[in-house]
Structures are given as structure tokens and as C-alpha cells.
Amino acid sequence: MRFKLPLLALGVSAAALAAPAYAQDATAAQFYIGPSAGYHDLGVDDEDLDDEDLDGFDISDGGFIGGLVAGVDVPVGTSAFVGVEGNFHVGTDAIDSEYGVAARLGANVGNGKVFVKAGYQWVDLDLANLTGIDGIEDVDGLEIEDTIDDFVVGVGGEFGLGGARLRIGVDTVSFDTIRPNAAILFAF
């Protein structure tokens, strides 16, 4: 994981952005956690592999994911907020697991929120399910990365559900993948 230092810098930067607002009113920060689920399509087309050397590959490039999302939002002014959140999911099919961190910027709208986010995401792949070839990780001379990592951006909205919020969003890793997702968030 060659990007741990930038990940740490992103977290420290988000905390520094939030610190002045948090210092003004310690009760204003809203921490949240909740279960999250979605589908992550990695964006690999069989047509991209139109090469005789790659015969036998049956690309299945997506999978359902389920896990947790947690973070904190801090008010900025009367209706805007900044925040930072992390996520961890386990997957099916082509995805073993994925995890990341992102900064959020958004606005409170009535009983809900709208936001954009940007950060960094890691996706651990199940190469056998991705390619359709059992034992592909052990083929001599074949070096295939089983983790992809890059920047993530996304948009979404959150809507009040009594004591919880329903979040609906869509993310992309380096504009190559698409990940629609939903979560039930509980504030504390």
C-alpha cells in the first residue's frame, strides 16, 4: 500500500478543516455510523481483452458489497458542512473487500443533506472470480495485481427516517468504476 502517507495527510487535512468549527461549539459535530450495501462494477469490458494471449478469460467484473461507513460532519455557517468518513466492505464475485477514506462537503436541505465527496479507495480483488480461472494467482511468470487503488469521488443525499438517515449515493474510483450504494446512518 504505497499510498498510506497521502491517506494520513488527507485525514489530518480534513481534521484541520473541521477543527475551527468544532472548537466554536463542541456539540455541533455530528458523528455517524451505519451499515452500507451496494454494487461495485469495475468497468472491465470483454472487448478490452481482444487478444489471442488472453483467450480463456471470462471476465466477471463486479460484485455486491456490504459493510460499514462511519464519519463526522461539522457545520460551517448556517447550512453547509464539512466532514470526513471511512468505509469498509466485504464483497462477492470479483471483490474480496474494499476500504477507503473521503472528505465530504455538503449542505443541509430541510430534513436531509446533499453532498459531494473525494478521497482514496482500495479494492482487493478475487482474481479467480474476476477471470474465471481457478489458481490464476499461482501461475508462474504471471504477475497480476490483486489490489487496485486510486482516488474516489461521489455524490449523494441523506434523508431523515425517524432517528436514522437513509443515504443514497454513487461513487467512482478514478472514473473507471461505478458503485451505487445505500446506507442507514445512526448519529451519536
Side-chain angles (χ1 to χ4, degrees):
M1 302 288 172
R2 63 183 189 276
F3 289 101
K4 287 187 178 180
L5 187 57
L7 176 64
L8 178 61
L10 177 65
V12 170
S13 298
L17 283 172
Y22 187 79
Q24 292 173 3
D25 183 2
T27 63
Q30 184 180 50
F31 294 86
Y32 59 88
I33 189 168
S36 174
Y39 185 82
H40 199 157
D41 181 347
L42 299 174
V44 179
D45 290 330
D46 290 336
E47 293 84 33
D48 293 340
L49 302 175
D50 192 21
D51 186 329
E52 291 176 17
D53 295 333
L54 299 175
D55 285 342
F57 283 91
D58 181 23
I59 299 298
S60 176
D61 72 333
F64 289 97
I65 56 171
L68 286 174
V69 62
V72 60
D73 289 336
V74 178
V76 176
T78 57
S79 63
F81 67 89
V82 296
V84 64
E85 73 176 26
N87 72 81
F88 177 80
H89 295 90
V90 294
T92 64
D93 302 322
I95 299 171
D96 272 339
S97 64
E98 58 180 58
Y99 42 93
V101 64
R104 292 180 5 132
L105 174 64
N108 298 309
V109 180
N111 191 21
K113 297 180 175 190
V114 293
F115 64 89
V116 295
K117 69 180 188 177
Y120 210 82
Q121 189 80 8
W122 290 264
V123 181
D124 293 330
L125 304 172
D126 183 325
L127 295 177
N129 279 332
L130 177 66
T131 62
I133 300 174
D134 288 331
I136 192 166
E137 305 89 1
D138 301 325
V139 174
D140 288 336
L142 185 61
E143 294 183 22
I144 301 175
E145 276 295 320
D146 65 351
T147 300
I148 57 173
D149 58 293
D150 213 330
F151 67 90
V152 63
V153 295
V155 298
E158 299 174 6
F159 313 96
L161 289 175
R165 292 191 320 263
L166 170 65
R167 174 193 289 182
I168 305 293
V170 65
D171 305 333
T172 180
V173 177
S174 68
F175 297 104
D176 292 329
T177 75
I178 188 150
R179 184 177 71 158
N181 57 81
I184 303 292
L185 303 176
F186 300 94
F188 58 96

